[in-house]
Amino acid sequence: MNTTRHWPKRAFILSRALSRAFSDTPSPTFPLKHVTRSNFDSALVELRSHVRAADFVAIDMEMTGVTSAPWRESFEFDRFDIRYLKVKDSAEKFAVFQFGVCPFRWDSLKQSFIAHPHNFFVFPRQEIPLDRTSYEFLCQTTSMDFLAKYQFDFNACIHEGISYLSRGQEDEARKRLISPKGDQLTHLSHNLRETMDLPLVRVADVLFTERMKKRLGEWRDDLLQNRVGGPQEEKVPDDLNQQFRTVFFKMRPALSLDGFTSHQLSLIRMVTRKHFKDLTYVCFNGESTSEELVVYTDSESDKARLMEEVKNDHQRSAGMKINAAVGFRHVIDLLSSENKLIVGHNCILDIAHVHSKFLAPLPSTAEEFVSCVNRYFPSIIDTKILLNADYTLQRKMKRSSTSLSSAFSLLCPEIAHGFTRNVLSYEPCVKVEVHVDEMRSSNWNSGAKHEAGYDAFMTGCVFAQACSHLGIDFQLHSPSENLTQNEKLQKHMNLLYLSWINGDIIDLRTGNRSAELSGSNMIRKPYRKILFKNIVLLWGFPSKLKPSMIRDCICKTLGPSSVISTYCIDQTAVFVQFSKAELASDFLNLKETLEQSNDAISHLHPLSQLLEGGNTRAASYETYKEICASPISKVLFADQAEAVGIKWKTELLPSDKEESHDNTRSHLESGMDSPQAVQKSKTRNTEDVVNDSSNKRFCDDIIDSFLKVEKIRRTTNL
């Protein structure tokens, strides 16, 4: 009774003790350094020192979308090269709004990793004039809604996001700077080139030029008269008092022009060139403003020196603008130049975005893509590869999802949930301490998931813990040891999932498809082998037909075992996989033959339901690649094919194109009595049959047609 009476108090004391044992007081929020263009320069200097000292750098991105059309999703029937084309399309069409960079350094004294998570807001703002007037990108509603759900700051991104130039764009800008046409970039077009005389067709222009001629002449004469005493205050009419102001420009007297229109400035430039040999019109671009000046020069050589000085100043200023416009790409250059191990989670799309946004336009083939990526980033690890390549890790994941958040919660519970190690922990966890500015923390509440900086931090933590499970002991890790040379990581290095659905892995060293390592297929269900030469692509068929109905139509003609499966691309297109390549060829030939005819047999054929409406298209798998490679993205696949320019109804296989369609037709109608009957069937159409004067003959034709269809079906099934 006494024990029972005191149990609530004892339970409370025990609860307090366990609470203290399990947790220090966590920080209210996860420490994360947010970087916008206002603090980018200082943050870049800081990041540079962290990256140089890092053992590896984890990255992550938040994008405006993933797929530009439903049919551009990753499908089971997508071939290896098709999967790359879909990744390419996504990276080209969508923007990166956030880029997370988190360097991790092992501290042997603290026996802990030190992480420096950075969350960069990025926005493709055009800072210097290039060929395009502005950048364009797509926004996928589901992705934008997803970002909004996690309180993404769109205002900070758009107003304060860091702009960037790719390497290709920077090269283009610098070439324009040093080329004769580069005057547009430096605003020297009206200084270094002869100005053509403007036609003075308006009375106002004539009066204005005479007025400017007089005003410039008075100013020049006054300078010459007062050179010994220096520039004097000039008495000018009130309306010009604010527009002309005497200043010094590069140790020369000059008139600053203010309040004139661009047309009036062109007239002043023309007057200066035509009537004053010792006056030079100059446009000077400062850091934030430009100034129009008329400068006095003593001689032709002095004038030449002035123009050379102005040209050098303009090019120097333009070069600084280009350097500033490079923007966030300085971060990419830093990661590349330091040659650190780059860690991502399911990061093929992230790497494609890096290539497309910051290096150069994506190439058309996976082989070219990996060649460029490997040149700039020779060491990349995908944590999804690690999680699915080791049986112990898969057992630890309990066959659950290998999403980043799931992996973080299961592999790094102490870090994810903000409590320190205690006696009840049955497995050691690699410790991580976060440093942001002056803040040091190893305890915090859960961070903001789906902010790129925090996701990059989670990715790095998952990698560190996965390495521990793979037998890499960081307590023995030397600061001079390079993780890129670690033998236990080498077999996982530079392998990325091109598609998680089928387990397609691309090797960044060769561009080839790589087989999954043993134990990697335990979570994902195995898929049947696909023979792409047996596949026919169908689109534009009647909307009432479902994939199962299409299969039935074909099986009635070519036999019940002729079709292995049908796969829906979208509501307008399907893949049909035949059991044999010959059957795919036979189907294409039969379809074309039936479409060329319009007789009773064609209308009563089992395929007539599929061909109804005359818009059904059929082609080999290579046509699917051609359509996927197009930069166009229509919502429906049938519309996409039309936009790409595919007008034909049936594309025969290469070997079939050499054969005569007449021979195929003769084979199909071998039951007819004579060649005349074959010709008669080819030329007859439905309207001829309906208008036949003999009802008996019409009925006989229908009966014969049924018999012939049955004979075709039996012959084909055999």
Side-chain angles (χ1 to χ4, degrees), residues 644-709:
V644 170
I646 297 177
K647 303 298 183 183
W648 38 258
K649 290 187 175 183
T650 306
E651 181 195 41
L652 300 180
L653 298 178
S655 59
D656 298 327
K657 292 178 181 179
E658 301 174 359
E659 298 180 4
S660 169
H661 296 160
D662 292 339
N663 292 339
T664 304
R665 177 63 175 174
S666 298
H667 170 72
L668 290 172
E669 298 195 350
S670 58
M672 291 190 173
D673 295 332
S674 64
Q676 290 78 9
V678 175
Q679 186 63 34
K680 184 176 182 180
S681 176
K682 287 183 178 180
T683 58
R684 176 181 292 173
N685 55 39
T686 304
E687 184 178 357
D688 294 333
V689 175
V690 173
N691 295 331
D692 199 299
S693 58
S694 172
N695 291 333
K696 182 178 182 301
R697 183 177 179 182
F698 172 74
C699 294
D700 290 342
D701 286 341
I702 294 296
I703 294 172
D704 290 342
S705 297
F706 276 115
L707 293 175
K708 290 167 187 173
V709 169

Side-chain angles (χ1 to χ4, degrees), residues 85-246:
L85 291 176
K86 291 188 174 183
V87 170
K88 174 178 180 288
D89 177 80
S90 178
E92 290 174 338
K93 287 189 170 62
F94 295 100
V96 173
F97 271 7
Q98 266 187 357
F99 200 114
V101 179
C102 189
F104 282 75
R105 174 181 60 84
W106 177 256
D107 189 324
S108 56
L109 295 178
K110 294 185 177 182
Q111 292 292 290
S112 169
F113 272 108
I114 308 299
H116 303 274
H118 290 67
N119 193 51
F120 292 89
F121 285 92
V122 182
F123 191 74
R125 191 182 302 102
Q126 189 166 13
E127 302 287 357
I128 60 174
L130 293 171
D131 291 340
R132 294 177 294 177
T133 56
S134 63
Y135 293 100
E136 295 180 352
F137 58 85
L138 296 182
C139 291
Q140 195 171 3
T141 54
T142 53
S143 295
M144 303 302 282
D145 183 62
F146 177 83
L147 292 176
K149 176 183 176 182
Y150 288 95
Q151 290 81 47
F152 183 88
D153 193 341
F154 291 98
N155 284 325
C157 176
I158 295 172
H159 296 298
E160 291 297 322
I162 307 158
S163 58
Y164 55 85
L165 291 178
S166 69
R167 291 189 177 219
Q169 290 171 329
E170 181 189 3
D171 291 343
E172 177 190 348
R174 296 195 184 280
K175 287 177 182 177
R176 294 179 63 184
L177 175 62
I178 64 175
S179 69
K181 295 183 179 180
D183 299 342
Q184 293 178 352
L185 188 62
T186 60
H187 302 285
L188 283 171
S189 56
H190 50 270
N191 295 327
L192 304 181
R193 293 184 292 177
E194 288 294 323
T195 305
M196 297 179 61
D197 291 346
L198 298 176
L200 302 178
V201 295
R202 298 189 306 169
V203 175
D205 289 347
V206 175
L207 294 176
F208 181 81
T209 54
E210 289 300 319
R211 187 183 182 192
M212 293 301 102
K213 179 180 176 182
K214 179 181 178 182
R215 178 69 187 88
L216 292 174
E218 291 175 350
W219 178 77
R220 192 267 316 267
D221 294 342
D222 189 65
L223 280 178
L224 295 176
Q225 292 175 6
N226 297 281
R227 292 187 69 177
V228 177
Q232 303 292 321
E233 182 179 352
E234 301 191 32
K235 297 179 181 179
V236 296
D238 291 340
D239 59 340
L240 291 177
N241 203 27
Q242 300 299 321
Q243 293 180 297
F244 289 100
R245 185 167 51 91
T246 300

Side-chain angles (χ1 to χ4, degrees), residues 20 76 116 155 187 263 315 321 379 385 430 470 526 610:
R20 285 193 298 269
E76 175 189 348
H116 303 274
N155 284 325
H187 302 285
H263 178 67
Q315 291 188 341
K321 288 182 179 179
S379 304
I385 293 286
V430 177
L470 292 174
L610 177 61

Side-chain angles (χ1 to χ4, degrees), residues 30-50:
F30 178 79
L32 181 63
K33 188 174 184 66
H34 294 282
V35 184
T36 62
R37 56 179 176 173
S38 61
N39 65 334
F40 175 67
D41 291 337
S42 59
L44 181 61
V45 173
E46 196 177 280
L47 180 66
R48 184 172 283 111
S49 63
H50 295 323

Side-chain angles (χ1 to χ4, degrees), residues 373-587:
V373 170
N374 196 246
R375 185 164 64 251
Y376 290 108
F377 302 100
S379 304
I380 299 176
I381 284 281
D382 189 338
T383 53
K384 194 134 184 165
I385 293 286
L386 293 183
L387 296 179
N388 290 284
D390 183 78
Y391 176 78
T392 303
L393 281 173
Q394 288 195 358
R395 186 175 57 183
K396 175 74 175 177
M397 294 292 294
K398 302 175 184 177
R399 297 176 179 256
S400 66
S401 167
T402 54
S403 69
L404 178 59
S405 58
S406 296
F408 185 55
S409 296
L410 289 170
L411 295 181
C412 315
E414 298 178 6
I415 304 173
H417 303 297
F419 55 80
T420 57
R421 191 191 307 183
N422 55 80
V423 295
L424 298 181
S425 296
Y426 62 93
E427 282 191 17
C429 180
V430 177
K431 293 196 299 183
V432 178
E433 186 174 311
V434 176
H435 290 190
V436 173
D437 296 330
E438 300 303 319
M439 182 183 297
R440 305 289 185 268
S441 178
S442 58
N443 255 353
W444 49 80
N445 289 328
S446 180
K449 293 180 181 178
H450 306 296
E451 274 200 300
Y454 184 69
D455 286 359
F457 169 75
M458 289 198 297
T459 299
C461 292
V462 169
F463 170 72
Q465 193 63 40
C467 287
S468 178
H469 281 282
L470 292 174
I472 299 175
D473 190 351
F474 290 110
Q475 294 182 1
L476 304 177
H477 182 69
S478 168
S480 61
E481 184 180 348
N482 192 339
L483 278 179
T484 61
Q485 305 301 321
N486 188 285
E487 293 183 2
K488 294 180 179 178
L489 289 177
Q490 280 296 315
K491 64 180 180 179
H492 309 295
M493 195 92 61
N494 293 317
L495 300 177
L496 305 182
Y497 273 113
L498 192 56
S499 170
W500 168 244
I501 293 178
N502 277 6
D504 276 346
I505 294 176
I506 187 170
D507 190 332
L508 294 181
R509 292 159 295 198
T510 64
N512 297 328
R513 179 177 180 176
S514 176
E516 287 188 291
L517 298 174
S518 59
S520 61
N521 59 352
M522 293 182 62
I523 297 176
R524 194 176 350 90
K525 66 177 183 179
Y527 284 93
R528 57 183 172 274
K529 184 178 180 180
I530 298 173
L531 299 176
F532 295 102
K533 64 180 181 179
N534 294 10
I535 292 178
V536 168
L537 172 66
L538 285 175
W539 73 94
F541 44 79
S543 58
K544 63 183 179 181
L545 293 183
K546 305 301 179 186
S548 59
M549 300 169 67
I550 294 174
R551 176 174 183 163
D552 291 342
C553 288
I554 298 174
C555 287
K556 287 179 182 178
T557 302
L558 300 179
S561 61
S562 58
V563 176
I564 295 177
S565 62
T566 54
Y567 190 93
C568 181
I569 299 174
D570 69 2
Q571 63 197 67
T572 67
V574 297
F575 284 126
V576 179
Q577 183 176 14
F578 290 89
S579 57
K580 298 179 181 178
E582 294 80 4
L583 290 173
S585 176
D586 290 344
F587 170 77

